[in-house]
Amino acid sequence: MKFCIGIVLAITALSAQADLKVFATVPEWGALAREIGGDKVKLYTATNAFQDPHRIEAKPSLLAQARQANLVVAAGADLEIGWLPLVLRDSGNPAIQLGQPGYFEAATYVNRLEVPTVVDRVHGDVHAAGNPHTHLDPRNVLKVAEKLAARMAQLDAANATVYQAGYAAFAAKWQVAIARWEKEAAPLKGIAVLVHHQSFIYLTNWLGMKEIGALEPKPGIEPSSGHLTSLLVRQQTMPARMVLRTAYQQDGPSQWMAGKAGIPAVLLPFTVGGTPEAKDLFGLFDDTIQRLLKAVR
Amino acid sequence: MQKTFVMAAMLAVASTAQAADNADLAAIRAQIDEMKKAYEQRIAALEQKLAQAEARGTSTPAQEVAEPSQPALAAANSFNPEVSLILQGQYKNMKDVPERSITGFFPAGIYDQGNGAITGISKRGFSVDHSELVLAANIDPYWRGQAIVAMVDGSAEVEEAWFQSLGLGGGVGLKGGRFRSGIGYLNEQHPHMWDFADAPLMYRAMFGDEGSYVQDGAQLKWLAPTDTFVEIGTEAGRGAAFPGTDRNRNGRGAAAAFVHVGDDVGIAHSWRAGVSYLTTKAKEREGNLEDIGGVQTLGRFTGDSATWLADFVWKWSPNGNPQYQNFKFQAEYFNRREKGDLLCSDMDSAHPTACGGGVNSLYRTRQSGWYAQGVYQFTPNWRGGLRYEQLDSGQRDFGANAANLMLTDYRPKKTSAMIDYSWSEFSRVRLQLAQDKSILGIVDNQLTLQYVMSLGAHGAHKF
C-alpha cells in the first residue's frame, strides 16, 4: 500500500508535462484540436471514422489514455453515454471529470437540432439533448473552435498565444472555405434525401437539403424490410434523390433502397478519415460536397 | 436617441457651467464633438454588422433555425439520480433435483429440506428473477454514489450500495460500502450483463448460488500512467460472505488484491488479463455433506480460505466497430486452498449418520476449476455462444472424518450453448441449452428461455 502510494508520487512528480494531452472521443474534434494547437498538442483519438461512436466499449486502452489526459474533448449530447462516463470515472484523473476545465463538450456551444419534446424510448435511442452529430455544419465547427481554443489556452497558459494564433489562422481559412462550400453546394438546395441514421441533419440543414426519411425505423433500431418497403412505396409520391450513409454504417440497406428506387447510394466521409480524401476538416467538407454534387449530376 | 442624449448633456453642461469662461466652453464642445464622432462610428459599425448578418441570413437555407439549445431545466427534480430497473425472468426445463450442490465441493450454506425449499437456481418452469433497481448520481464534485436494490416477493435486498471517489487524482480510485469485488472478470458484472443465462459452475463453487463475491468494505485502486492499461487494486472487507463467515470481530475479515493488464492489438482487437487473490476466514461454516451411507450430515468448517483467480478476455470486431459483428472470448481459472477443522454431526436426530453426535477432524482441501466461452454477434440483433466448464474436486484431506464421509473424486462438467436476440440495446431474449454434469450420477439436459429488459437511464457497461 505504502509502496503503491510511493510509486504514484514518484511518477506524478516525473511527469511534468511538455504538451497538452488531448483525449478526443471522435476524429472531427481531434482534428480541430490539432488545427488549433499544432505540435503543442499530444493528441489521442478514441475512435476512428469506421467506428460508431455510440457503440464503443470502455476498453482498457481508453482508460489508460484518459488517465494521462489534460483535456477530454467530447461531442457531448449523450453521444458517448455508453462508455465515456465510465472511462472518466475509472480513470482516477480528477482534471477531466464533468464540470472541470479539462472536460469539454462541443454540443454545448452550438444550436442543437432535433431536441425531442418527448423523451421516451418508444421513439428509439433518442438523445434528450438533441442530435449530437453537430460537426457537419461548418459554422458549428467555427463556434466550437473559438471555445476550444480558449479552453486550451486556459489549461496550458504557457502556450496560450500559440492556441489563439492557431485559432485565428484556422478561423480565417475556415470562413473563406465556408463561403466557397456554400457557393459550390448551391445546386444541392432543396434536394430531398433519405439517410441511414439521423447522422446528417446539421449538414442538410446547412445546405438547405430536405431530409425526408431514415432507413432506421427509429434511431438506433436496425432497418427492417417492412420499413424499407414503406419508404420505397413513398418514393412514388415523395421521391428522394439519394440515400446517405456514413463510413461506419452497413451498406446493405442503402444499396437495397438505391437499387429499388433507382437513386444513388452515397457514402459520405462523415468525419475525418472516413474517405481517403477527408484527411482533415477541410478535406472532410470538400469531399462531402463533391460526393453530393456527383450524386445530383 | 444618441443625439438627444448628447443634446441633453450639452444643456446640462450649459446650465451648470454658467461661470465657465469661453476657453472652458470650447474645451467641452471639443469633448462633446469627440464623443459624438465616436458614437457615430460605433453606430455605423453596428449597422454594417446587422446588414451583414441579414445578408447571410437570406443566403442560408430557408429552413428555420431549428430549436435552439435547450436552456438547462431548473426544476428541483433535475437533481434526481439516474434510475434504471432491470427486469429478468425465465422458463426452465430440467431434472427435478431439490439440492443443486456441486459434487465434491463444500456448499455455500445448508439446504432447507422442507417444503418449498427449491431456491432460484433449482426452480423449474416459469419464474421471475429479482428485479434490480439501480440508483446512481454524482454526490458532489468529489464523490459518486450508486445503490442496487434487488426486489423479490416480500423482501428487498441491498445488492450494492457504494460511493466512489472522483477527485483523488494520481490515478487513485477509492470505493467504499457494499460492492462487487474487483477480483476475476465476471465477478463485477451483474446477471443482466452475463452472456449466458446462469453463472459458470466455477463462480457457484467459489461464491455460492449468487455467483459473485460481494464485499462490505473498501477498495483502493491505482491506474498506472502508461499507454498499456495496468491497474492494481486492493480490498478489505467484513468477509461475511461464502467462503468466509461473519465472525463478530474488529479488524478486517477478508482481503483481496488484483492486477489487471490490457491493451489493443491493432484497431480490431482488445484484451484484458488479470490475476486476483482473495483470503478470508470461516468460523463454523455450515454445509450439507454426505456420510458413507449417503445420508445428509451437517459439516462445520473453521479455518482459512485462500483463492487465486486468473482471467482473460479478448474482443474482436471488424475495424473495432462492434455494432454489426463482434466476437468475445473469455476464460477464467481458480484454485482454492482451505485449511482448518471440520466438525461433522447429524443433521437431525431422526436421521443418524456415521458422524453421530459429532466428530472433529482436520480439513485440508485444494480444489480448482475453469471455464471458457466464446460469444459471436453475427448480425446487429443476433448472437450465439458456447461455454465449456470443468471443476476438479482435487485433494481433500478430512483426517478422522475421512472414514465417516463420502469422498468421491469427481470432475463436474457443464457444456452450454446459447443464442440470443436483441431488439435494441435495452431488450434481449435468450435460449440456452446445457448439459449439466455437476452432480455425480446425474446428466441433466437443461433448457432455459430467458428475457432481460432494462428500463430508464442508459448506464455504461464495463469492458
Side-chain angles (χ1 to χ4, degrees):
Chain A
M1 204 44 196
K2 272 180 191 158
F3 171 70
C4 276
I5 294 169
I7 297 178
V8 175
L9 290 176
I11 291 175
T12 323
L14 279 174
S15 61
Q17 79 238 11
D19 303 302
L20 186 68
K21 289 182 189 151
V22 175
F23 178 110
T25 61
V26 285
E28 58 269 22
W29 301 127
L32 184 61
R34 175 67 78 209
E35 292 278 355
I36 294 166
D39 59 2
K40 297 290 178 209
V41 164
K42 193 178 171 217
L43 178 67
Y44 177 80
T45 306
T47 59
N48 66 34
F50 303 99
Q51 298 172 342
D52 185 342
H54 293 99
R55 303 297 173 111
I56 294 303
E57 289 182 274
K59 296 185 284 189
S61 57
L62 298 181
L63 278 164
Q65 292 292 339
R67 157 77 167 90
Q68 303 176 71
N70 307 118
L71 172 63
V72 166
V73 182
D78 289 353
L79 177 68
E80 303 98 342
I81 197 165
W83 57 279
L84 190 61
L86 195 72
V87 168
L88 297 182
R89 292 200 290 269
D90 279 356
S91 69
N93 182 352
I96 56 167
Q97 300 301 320
L98 261 70
Q100 298 295 326
Y103 180 78
F104 181 93
E105 252 185 25
T108 317
Y109 303 106
V110 301
N111 280 345
R112 291 186 298 276
L113 305 177
E114 296 182 333
V115 178
T117 45
V118 179
V119 180
D120 188 326
R121 292 239 169 82
V122 84
H123 304 297
D125 195 6
V126 290
H127 298 279
N131 189 308
H133 309 288
T134 59
H135 67 283
L136 282 181
D137 182 337
R139 298 166 299 182
N140 285 348
V141 174
L142 197 60
K143 284 181 198 163
V144 174
E146 186 191 348
K147 302 290 181 186
L148 182 59
R151 189 66 69 84
M152 289 163 76
Q154 179 191 348
L155 288 169
D156 183 13
N159 288 314
T161 50
V162 176
Y163 301 132
Q164 291 305 349
Y167 164 68
F170 171 75
K173 265 173 31 190
W174 195 250
Q175 272 158 331
V176 172
I178 290 178
R180 188 181 79 234
W181 293 324
E182 286 178 350
K183 206 171 138 206
E184 284 172 359
L188 297 171
K189 204 164 181 181
I191 298 281
V193 296
L194 289 172
V195 293
H196 181 108
H197 171 80
Q198 282 81 351
S199 315
F200 301 107
I201 187 68
Y202 294 90
L203 178 73
T204 50
N205 182 52
W206 169 51
L207 296 177
M209 301 170 81
K210 280 189 293 187
E211 194 176 303
I212 59 168
L215 305 189
E216 289 181 346
K218 304 275 180 191
I221 307 280
E222 283 303 307
S224 62
S225 53
H227 180 67
L228 290 181
T229 310
S230 74
L231 282 177
L232 189 62
V233 170
R234 213 186 54 180
Q235 268 296 101
Q236 309 294 329
T237 51
M238 202 195 222
R241 294 278 303 276
M242 58 182 98
V243 192
L244 306 181
R245 72 171 191 280
T246 69
Y248 63 76
Q249 283 154 354
Q250 239 173 7
D251 62 347
S254 50
Q255 295 290 8
W256 185 90
M257 195 67 203
K260 295 279 182 194
I263 55 174
V266 184
L267 179 142
L268 294 182
F270 182 68
T271 184
V272 175
T275 59
E277 294 82 10
K279 285 190 192 71
D280 57 13
L281 286 167
F282 292 93
L284 167 63
F285 282 93
D286 282 335
D287 192 39
T288 299
I289 287 169
Q290 287 316 312
R291 282 168 185 258
L292 290 172
L293 287 173
K294 203 175 140 200
V296 288
R297 234 172 260 148
Chain B
M1 176 79 180
Q2 307 289 359
K3 276 180 186 160
T4 51
F5 168 71
V6 173
M7 294 294 275
M10 279 169 76
L11 278 173
V13 169
S15 59
T16 53
Q18 272 171 347
D21 56 20
N22 283 347
D24 280 347
L25 273 173
I28 291 166
R29 268 196 204 109
Q31 269 181 0
I32 289 169
D33 275 350
E34 247 170 63
M35 275 167 67
K36 219 168 139 184
K37 234 184 247 169
Y39 272 121
E40 273 165 3
Q41 274 170 3
R42 278 166 68 180
I43 290 164
L46 279 171
E47 276 172 347
Q48 204 184 335
K49 262 192 189 166
L50 190 67
Q52 277 174 354
E54 273 172 354
R56 213 180 304 147
T58 50
S59 75
T60 46
Q63 219 162 355
E64 284 299 306
V65 176
E67 314 90 297
S69 312
Q70 298 262 313
L73 292 170
N77 66 1
S78 56
F79 285 111
N80 281 355
E82 300 146 32
V83 180
S84 52
L85 182 68
I86 314 292
L87 303 177
Q88 213 174 310
Q90 67 252 303
Y91 171 81
K92 265 189 192 173
N93 201 326
M94 58 188 190
K95 278 207 170 115
D96 186 13
V97 183
E99 311 110 23
R100 290 199 167 260
S101 64
I102 303 172
T103 305
F105 287 80
F106 200 101
I110 34 171
Y111 309 113
D112 184 354
Q113 308 280 308
N115 217 3
I118 294 174
T119 49
I121 195 155
S122 307
K123 260 189 194 163
R124 307 196 303 158
F126 290 99
S127 64
V128 175
D129 286 344
H130 52 218
S131 312
E132 278 183 13
L133 179 66
V134 187
L135 301 167
N138 294 325
I139 295 162
D140 60 18
Y142 316 104
W143 303 101
R144 180 179 175 81
Q146 177 172 313
I148 300 181
V149 182
M151 295 166 295
V152 238
D153 303 330
S155 74
E157 183 191 340
V158 178
E159 285 221 324
E160 288 197 76
W162 46 260
F163 61 90
Q164 179 188 27
S165 66
L166 295 174
L168 288 184
V172 175
L174 178 69
K175 207 186 225 186
R178 175 175 295 180
F179 55 91
R180 286 181 169 238
S181 167
I183 57 174
Y185 171 71
L186 204 61
N187 196 62
E188 276 194 305
Q189 297 189 356
H190 278 263
H192 72 270
M193 290 153 67
W194 294 349
D195 293 321
F196 288 84
D198 43 21
L201 284 180
M202 165 179 153
Y203 271 87
R204 280 179 49 212
M206 285 193 297
F207 306 131
D209 287 346
E210 292 283 323
S212 73
Y213 190 72
V214 176
Q215 294 267 30
D216 284 3
Q219 178 192 65
L220 191 65
K221 280 202 293 194
W222 178 66
L223 182 59
T226 50
D227 288 353
T228 303
F229 170 82
V230 179
E231 183 185 66
I232 302 170
T234 167
E235 292 168 4
R238 183 170 184 84
F242 184 86
T245 59
D246 211 328
R247 278 162 289 134
N248 183 25
R249 64 188 287 268
N250 291 321
R252 63 165 175 74
F258 53 85
V259 178
H260 296 139
V261 182
D263 208 348
D264 293 344
V265 180
I267 298 167
H269 309 267
S270 358
W271 59 274
R272 199 195 87 166
V275 177
S276 324
Y277 181 69
L278 170 71
T279 173
T280 182
K281 281 181 165 57
K283 191 182 174 192
E284 297 185 351
R285 183 181 78 197
E286 295 186 335
N288 305 51
L289 298 172
E290 254 177 56
D291 83 343
I292 38 169
V295 186
Q296 296 281 320
T297 73
L298 176 64
R300 290 194 183 95
F301 167 72
T302 302
D304 298 336
S305 174
T307 310
W308 280 100
L309 288 114
D311 61 88
F312 178 71
V313 187
W314 173 66
K315 293 189 186 184
W316 167 87
S317 58
N319 286 316
N321 186 28
Q323 163 76 359
Y324 298 108
Q325 278 103 37
N326 65 68
F327 178 75
K328 177 181 177 190
F329 172 82
Q330 121 193 15
E332 294 188 73
Y333 167 83
F334 90 102
N335 194 313
R336 170 174 289 166
R337 274 181 116 145
E338 292 195 323
K339 217 163 100 180
D341 301 313
L342 180 72
L343 175 66
C344 170
S345 57
D346 291 350
M347 191 68 87
D348 57 74
S349 48
H351 300 92
T353 66
C355 294
V359 180
N360 210 349
S361 72
L362 68 85
Y363 177 94
R364 260 183 209 174
T365 62
R366 182 165 198 157
Q367 304 187 302
S368 64
W370 60 274
Y371 76 89
Q373 68 182 52
V375 175
Y376 180 50
Q377 181 188 306
F378 44 97
T379 76
N381 304 112
W382 289 95
R383 308 191 312 159
L386 278 174
R387 177 175 71 186
Y388 180 76
E389 33 193 334
Q390 188 172 319
L391 306 180
D392 185 354
S393 62
Q395 301 162 11
R396 285 178 295 169
D397 183 357
F398 283 12
N401 268 321
N404 303 328
L405 294 170
M406 181 93 82
L407 281 176
T408 328
D409 282 338
Y410 188 58
R411 293 193 172 185
K413 293 182 183 77
K414 190 175 174 184
T415 310
S416 317
M418 75 86 186
I419 185 158
D420 65 26
Y421 179 84
S422 305
W423 287 269
S424 71
E425 289 173 77
F426 309 104
S427 60
R428 174 171 286 169
V429 62
R430 175 182 293 138
L431 174 69
Q432 178 173 312
L433 299 170
Q435 185 172 71
D436 186 349
K437 293 193 235 173
S438 59
I439 305 167
L440 181 65
I442 298 181
V443 175
D444 189 11
N445 293 317
Q446 306 169 341
L447 178 147
T448 311
L449 186 63
Q450 185 199 29
Y451 65 87
V452 182
M453 308 276 170
S454 352
L455 294 69
H458 186 317
H461 281 172
K462 289 200 166 249
F463 177 73

